[in-house]
Amino acid sequence: MSRAAAAWKRVPTPVVDVLLVAVAALDVWLNTWENTRFGVFPAAVGCAALAFRRRFPLAVFLLTLPIALTQDVAVAVLVALFTLAERSRNRRLLAVCIALAAVAGSVPWPLAEADRTMTLVFFVYGLATSATPVLFGQLLQAQRDLARRLDEIEEAREHEQALHAQAVLARERAQLAREMHDVVSHQVSLIAVRAGALQVATKDDNTKEAARTIRSLSVTTLDELRTMVTLLRASGGRATELTPQPTLADLHKLVESSGTHAELTGDLPDAVGTPAQRAVYRTVQEALTNVRKHAPGAVARVELWQKGDDVGVTVTNTAPTRPSLSLPGSQQGLIGLRERAEILHGALESGPTAEGGYRVRLRLPLSAD
């Protein structure tokens, strides 16, 4: 929107109406041929009616038609036509109004013999002149409809983003609950068992009391932890049984069920910790998912490797053989994997290959835990 249009929109409506009435009256005063009472009275009524053009656009247009009988181009008629076109969606009505304005402007006044050829020329000229404000009014109406539609789309997008944020939060809560269940509760349970065993085996009263205290605190912690896990699961989605996180042993099944032509090669030592195994699994999972989404028909190669004190995985795919479908994505998969790698003091690299494919490479220290 231009600055002039924006400034015009800030002008109060009554001021605009007064200005239009004044301009129409000046136009009538300067150009009306018939200065008799019959010519002036309808012109005055038509100009004054412009003040009500927003509420009664069709009636105001009809009241301004007599002005067109005494002028070649009547500002009042054009303004009334513009207002009617801006507010009406009836195309047939607008066409009839254009024709009426053209007829009123081409009929010779006072009624007398006139050249039919010139009358036809004036009629065609009147059609073109009357159609112009109608086209501008319809254009403004379409612009308002488009702006309204864009606002609706923006609201829908914001709603979708809010739903996506809620889904991400629910997924993170479910993941946190799973981690607490699989890792924290397992470690606390071991502490409680060891403390119980120490309480039974020791003969020292102080040690026995300390072991009893440790076991009691461990049990209390487990109860509170179960409550927290239940709350997280309830707010994170439907309450399903907590399943253990995948490890390297699940890679073969992941590759086979990935829906792509993928091959798994190499191996990693048994000393790789559980967090590093999960990072490797999630990296392969995300890379194969991206191959399936963005490189249809490509062949993927999953290579597990060890180099010195570092271990990792490299997933490389060839160029796609078919055009990819436009699928929604959050663009956060590789970012999350990179953050996971940095937490484990490793690194994740990704980028296209010279052959037109794509490569994802995860490096982690062997001692990552």
Side-chain angles (χ1 to χ4, degrees), residues 15 32 40 61-62 65 98 115-116 120 126 133 162-164 166 195 198 207 239 245 249 274 302 311 318 340 358:
V15 175
T32 298
V40 173
F61 166 72
L62 295 176
L65 273 181
I98 291 175
D115 187 0
R116 293 183 178 181
L120 181 61
L163 292 179
H164 177 70
Q166 293 176 4
L198 179 61
T207 304
Q245 288 286 286
T274 302
V302 181
V311 295
T318 60
R340 182 191 289 262
Y358 203 82

Side-chain angles (χ1 to χ4, degrees), residues 46 72-73 102 107 118 206 225 256 268 313 323 339 357:
D72 291 332
V73 179
V107 169
M118 292 305 299
N206 293 332
L225 184 60
E256 292 174 358
L268 292 179
V313 62
E339 292 175 351

Side-chain angles (χ1 to χ4, degrees), residues 60-246:
V60 169
F61 166 72
L62 295 176
L63 288 175
T64 59
L65 273 181
I67 302 177
L69 294 172
T70 58
Q71 290 185 231
D72 291 332
V73 179
V75 171
V77 179
L78 299 183
V79 172
L81 271 176
F82 173 80
T83 305
L84 181 62
E86 180 192 6
R87 297 175 181 277
S88 175
R89 298 182 183 274
N90 192 335
R91 301 292 177 83
R92 292 183 179 180
L93 174 63
L94 295 177
V96 170
C97 291
I98 291 175
L100 287 176
V103 169
S106 59
V107 169
W109 185 262
L111 294 176
E113 289 293 331
D115 187 0
R116 293 183 178 181
T117 302
M118 292 305 299
T119 300
L120 181 61
V121 170
F122 285 141
F123 176 73
V124 174
Y125 176 75
L127 282 178
T129 304
S130 302
T132 301
V134 172
L135 292 177
F136 275 108
Q138 290 284 282
L139 179 62
L140 184 60
Q141 185 183 106
Q143 183 184 19
R144 283 202 306 264
D145 293 342
L146 179 60
R148 191 181 304 112
R149 181 57 179 163
L150 289 176
D151 291 339
E152 293 175 357
I153 293 175
E154 185 64 25
E155 291 178 1
R157 180 180 298 175
E158 291 176 358
H159 180 64
E160 182 181 356
Q161 290 177 349
L163 292 179
H164 177 70
Q166 293 176 4
V168 171
L169 180 60
R171 187 165 57 247
E172 293 295 332
R173 285 175 173 171
Q175 182 178 358
L176 179 59
R178 196 163 47 233
E179 295 285 348
M180 292 174 64
H181 179 273
D182 295 341
V183 180
V184 181
S185 63
H186 175 69
Q187 301 292 342
V188 176
S189 298
L190 287 180
I191 293 174
V193 171
R194 292 294 181 90
L198 179 61
Q199 180 182 352
V200 173
T202 186
K203 294 182 180 180
D204 183 70
D205 292 339
N206 293 332
T207 304
K208 184 174 294 189
E209 182 62 26
R212 183 184 297 111
T213 302
I214 294 174
R215 186 174 184 276
S216 177
L217 292 174
S218 299
V219 172
T220 302
T221 302
L222 278 176
D223 289 338
E224 295 178 353
L225 184 60
R226 290 191 183 97
T227 302
M228 293 174 61
V229 168
T230 302
L231 291 175
L232 285 173
R233 293 294 297 176
S235 60
R238 56 189 180 93
T240 56
E241 183 181 357
L242 294 176
T243 55
Q245 288 286 286

Side-chain angles (χ1 to χ4, degrees), residues 248 252 264-270 272 302-306 311-312:
L248 292 178
H252 288 279
L264 177 63
T265 61
D267 200 359
L268 292 179
D270 297 334
V272 176
V302 181
E303 180 185 1
L304 301 173
W305 51 267
Q306 179 181 7
V311 295

Side-chain angles (χ1 to χ4, degrees), residues 240-301:
T240 56
E241 183 181 357
L242 294 176
T243 55
Q245 288 286 286
T247 61
L248 292 178
D250 302 305
L251 273 181
H252 288 279
K253 183 178 179 181
L254 173 65
V255 173
E256 292 174 358
S257 61
S258 63
T260 61
H261 300 287
E263 178 187 5
L264 177 63
T265 61
D267 200 359
L268 292 179
D270 297 334
V272 176
T274 302
Q277 292 188 42
R278 287 202 293 265
V280 171
Y281 182 94
R282 295 305 182 194
T283 300
V284 175
Q285 184 181 47
E286 177 69 18
L288 293 180
T289 299
N290 289 338
V291 172
R292 186 171 63 250
K293 289 172 57 177
H294 305 299
V299 177
R301 178 184 177 87

Side-chain angles (χ1 to χ4, degrees), residues 32-69:
T32 298
W33 307 324
E34 182 68 28
N35 292 323
T36 64
R37 180 179 301 180
F38 180 77
V40 173
F41 180 75
V45 172
C47 292
L50 290 178
F52 306 95
R53 62 193 177 89
R54 291 183 174 86
R55 182 171 297 182
F56 310 106
L58 180 59
V60 169
F61 166 72
L62 295 176
L63 288 175
T64 59
L65 273 181
I67 302 177
L69 294 172

